[in-house]
Amino acid sequence: MKDAYQKQGFGTKAAKVCIHYLQEEYNAARVSCPVDLHNKDAQAFWKKLGFQFSDTVENVFMRFTIPKDRIPAFS
């Protein structure tokens, strides 16, 4: 997302919509996303939504995962 649109809640809302869709349409037991190992802002973003570091993928990305019982409420 462009810098001008960050820190306004757009990414949080979009992520919640996507997570909600995965939960409702596919009954997702967990949701995972790859995050660049060096992108601390992205890591903080996903942690804010309740995701936790789960493993490293291809030595370039960290995988953040959130179990179904910790998925944030859709609003």
Side-chain angles (χ1 to χ4, degrees):
M1 183 174 292
K2 289 189 174 189
D3 290 344
Y5 298 103
Q6 291 183 9
K7 309 283 190 226
Q8 296 183 43
F10 299 125
T12 298
K13 183 70 170 179
K16 286 183 176 182
V17 167
C18 292
I19 293 165
H20 179 75
Y21 176 80
L22 293 169
Q23 185 178 25
E24 292 297 313
E25 295 296 320
Y26 296 99
N27 196 29
R30 67 179 183 173
V31 177
S32 297
C33 62
V35 178
D36 188 298
L37 283 168
H38 305 291
N39 190 336
K40 301 299 183 194
D41 289 338
Q43 293 171 30
F45 171 81
W46 291 108
K47 285 180 182 178
K48 178 181 75 173
L49 288 172
F51 283 71
Q52 297 177 329
F53 171 74
S54 57
D55 61 1
T56 302
V57 182
E58 299 176 7
N59 295 324
V60 179
F61 294 100
M62 300 171 76
R63 180 176 294 139
F64 280 79
T65 303
I66 187 169
K68 186 174 187 175
D69 63 338
R70 295 197 55 219
I71 290 176
F74 177 71
S75 57

